């Protein structure tokens, strides 16, 4: 296929993807769900699960093999940008000053599901071998499953908090702050599970070199960037070019170290200088806009790896097991830790329901595992379904709880702690 033909296909595919994503995202919002539910379903609809069932292989015609690498590169740019936004929006000062309630809720809602996930792999390996996994006993697989069942999607959680008008309430603040802490911890743990060793880099060097990168960024790069931006006569009158260079540079560095590029995007967001603890509005707006534009491509590239109609009985049983440990691992410790720290029953249930939200953050983690060869097709499909179900039930649970709104809170109000991106 010629360059001109590939370009034509890519442009047409982008138009189709954005149109379908906008329609399904809007439909999800009207049904009281986060827009990410509809956007994820875009990948399902255009992939082999739905469109691929039609005669004539319309999925293959719409996304020929020669075009997929180009869409894949754009999708990776999207998730690196998205993870930069997640890291940049984290209120580091608030997380540093988090009280006992936030710390204990975060610890319980992260460590308990991680323990359940690891125990399930070690005690019931047949649940995973039955869906085609072979390296079940390996450390990367055990750590990966532990992390995937313990992730909380901070951006989706924050959007739901705004949607229900509880941004200024105690459960809203506890849930968002705890999710911020868990984001940092979960991505750090996931980095240790990565088996990739490009260019012959020994696995024993990956972790210390990554730690050196993070420490060097925090102790050298961040202060230097802060000084450079704020010095008199600085060439950087706008911080956006610096943000792009930092995000892509960190993504390149972590990829070279054998990790996924998304770790670099998240690290870059943490390292990006802030003014009085708050992100630069222009940088945030531009990076969010880029992520909003390109993320539907990620959903479709992910959807092309899904074939929900092809999963069998063993996959359904694995899904039920993973849903059980995912729900129990978040709802029970989230509720109990909240109650032990003085929240009433309704407030504690609200925190627990919010922390069970997974959304796009889960999908990015699953893409990391799939691309690294830690998991494969059928288990990938099972875990994507888990992400959809756990995210979709959050809004109905909050409606059942009839959580009171904060007097000064309304849908669309900013969440002061972190993570405002809806997907």
């Amino acid at each position: 296929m010629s360059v001109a033909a590939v370009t034509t296909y890519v442009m047409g595919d982008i138009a189709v993807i954005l149109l379908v994503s906008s329609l399904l995202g809007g439909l999800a919002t009207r049904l009281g769900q986060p827009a990410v539910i509809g956007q994820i379903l875009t990948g399902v609809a255009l992939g082999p699960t739905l469109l691929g069932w039609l005669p004539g292989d319309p999925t293959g015609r719409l996304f020929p093999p020669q075009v997929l690498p180009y869409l894949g590169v754009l999708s990776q740019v999207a998730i690196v940008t998205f993870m930069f936004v997640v890291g940049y929006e984290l209120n580091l000062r608030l997380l540093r000053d988090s009280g006992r309630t936030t710390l204990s809720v975060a610890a319980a809602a992260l460590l308990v599901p991680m323990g359940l996930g690891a125990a399930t792999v070690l005690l019931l390996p047949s649940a995973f071998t039955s869906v085609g996994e072979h390296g079940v006993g390996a450390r990367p697989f055990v750590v990966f499953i532990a992390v995937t069942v313990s992730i909380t999607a901070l951006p989706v959680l924050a959007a739901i908090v705004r949607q229900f008008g509880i941004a200024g309430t105690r459960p809203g603040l506890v849930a968002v702050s705890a999710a911020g802490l868990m984001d940092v911890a979960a991505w750090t743990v996931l980095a240790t599970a990565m088996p990739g060793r490009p260019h012959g880099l020994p696995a024993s060097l990956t972790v210390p070199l990554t730690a050196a990168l993070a420490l060097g960024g925090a102790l050298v790069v961040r202060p230097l960037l802060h000084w450079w931006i704020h010095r008199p006569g600085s060439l950087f009158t706008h911080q956006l070019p610096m943000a792009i260079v930092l995000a892509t540079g960190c993504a390149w560095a972590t990829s070279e170290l054998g990790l996924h590029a998304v770790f670099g995007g998240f690290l870059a967001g943490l390292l990006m200088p802030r003014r009085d603890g708050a992100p630069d509005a222009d940088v945030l707006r531009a990076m969010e806009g880029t992520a909003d534009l390109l993320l539907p491509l990620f959903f479709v590239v992910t959807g092309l790896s899904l074939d929900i109609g092809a999963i069998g009985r063993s996959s359904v049983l694995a899904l039920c097991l993973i849903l059980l440990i995912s729900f129990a691992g978040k709802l029970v410790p989230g509720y109990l830790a909240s109650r032990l720290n003085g929240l009433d029953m309704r407030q504690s249930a609200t925190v627990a329901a919010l922390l069970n939200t997974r959304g796009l953050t889960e999908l990015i983690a699953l893409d990391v595992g799939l691309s690294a060869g830690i998991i494969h097709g059928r288990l990938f499909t099972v875990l994507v379904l888990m992400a959809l179900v756990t995210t979709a039930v959050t809004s109905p649970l909050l409606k059942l709880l009839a959580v009171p709104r904060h007097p000064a809170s309304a849908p669309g109000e900013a969440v002061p702690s972190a993570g405002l991106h809806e997907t």
Side-chain angles (χ1 to χ4, degrees), residues 153-400:
L154 172 61
V156 178
L157 184 156
I160 294 174
V161 164
R162 291 201 317 273
Q163 175 188 341
F164 280 82
I166 56 175
T169 64
R170 191 180 181 197
L173 292 172
V174 168
V176 172
S177 300
L181 289 172
M182 288 189 290
D183 253 4
V184 176
W187 285 103
T188 301
V189 173
L190 185 58
T192 69
M194 297 299 292
R197 297 185 296 276
H199 315 308
L201 184 67
S204 59
L205 291 179
T206 300
V207 172
L209 287 177
T210 303
L213 174 67
L215 286 174
L219 300 177
V220 179
V221 176
R222 194 167 191 265
L224 184 61
L225 291 178
H226 187 275
W227 169 81
W228 186 261
I229 289 172
H230 296 93
R231 72 188 183 94
S234 173
L235 295 176
F236 286 98
T237 56
H238 198 294
Q239 297 183 36
L240 181 58
M242 178 182 292
I244 296 172
V245 170
L246 185 62
T248 53
C250 286
W252 167 82
T254 54
S255 183
E256 283 290 302
L257 290 174
L259 304 177
H260 198 285
V262 299
F263 296 104
F266 185 64
L267 176 62
L270 295 176
L271 296 178
M272 186 68 188
R274 296 158 174 80
R275 293 182 182 273
D276 301 320
D280 182 274
D282 292 333
V283 172
L284 199 56
R285 190 180 306 113
M287 298 298 273
E288 282 185 336
T290 302
D292 282 337
L293 177 66
L294 295 178
L295 275 174
L297 305 183
F298 169 73
F299 293 123
V300 169
V301 171
T302 300
L304 294 176
S305 302
L306 297 174
D307 190 357
I308 297 174
I311 65 174
R313 179 174 175 271
S314 60
S315 298
V316 173
L317 293 175
L319 174 60
C320 293
L321 176 62
I322 290 172
L323 282 173
L324 176 62
I325 62 176
S326 299
F327 277 101
K330 284 292 186 184
L331 296 179
V332 175
Y335 178 83
L336 292 178
S338 299
R339 289 288 287 152
L340 289 173
N341 283 277
L343 277 70
D344 63 30
M345 295 177 63
R346 179 183 290 178
Q347 291 174 330
S348 300
T350 299
V351 171
L354 287 169
L355 294 181
N356 194 46
T357 305
R358 286 173 173 84
L360 174 58
T361 310
E362 178 77 35
L363 261 66
I364 293 175
L366 298 181
D367 179 71
V368 170
L370 184 66
S371 61
I374 300 176
I375 60 172
H376 302 87
R378 277 194 287 168
L379 182 57
F380 177 75
T381 300
V382 167
L383 292 172
V384 169
L385 290 174
M386 179 270 286
L388 275 169
V389 172
T390 54
T391 304
V393 301
T394 303
S395 292
L397 282 176
L398 293 178
K399 288 177 181 178
L400 285 174

Side-chain angles (χ1 to χ4, degrees), residues 105-137:
V105 169
L110 180 69
L111 296 178
V112 171
M114 285 186 69
L116 288 175
T120 301
V121 175
L122 296 174
L123 298 176
L124 296 171
S126 60
F128 300 93
T129 56
S130 65
V131 293
E133 296 299 325
H134 302 293
V136 173

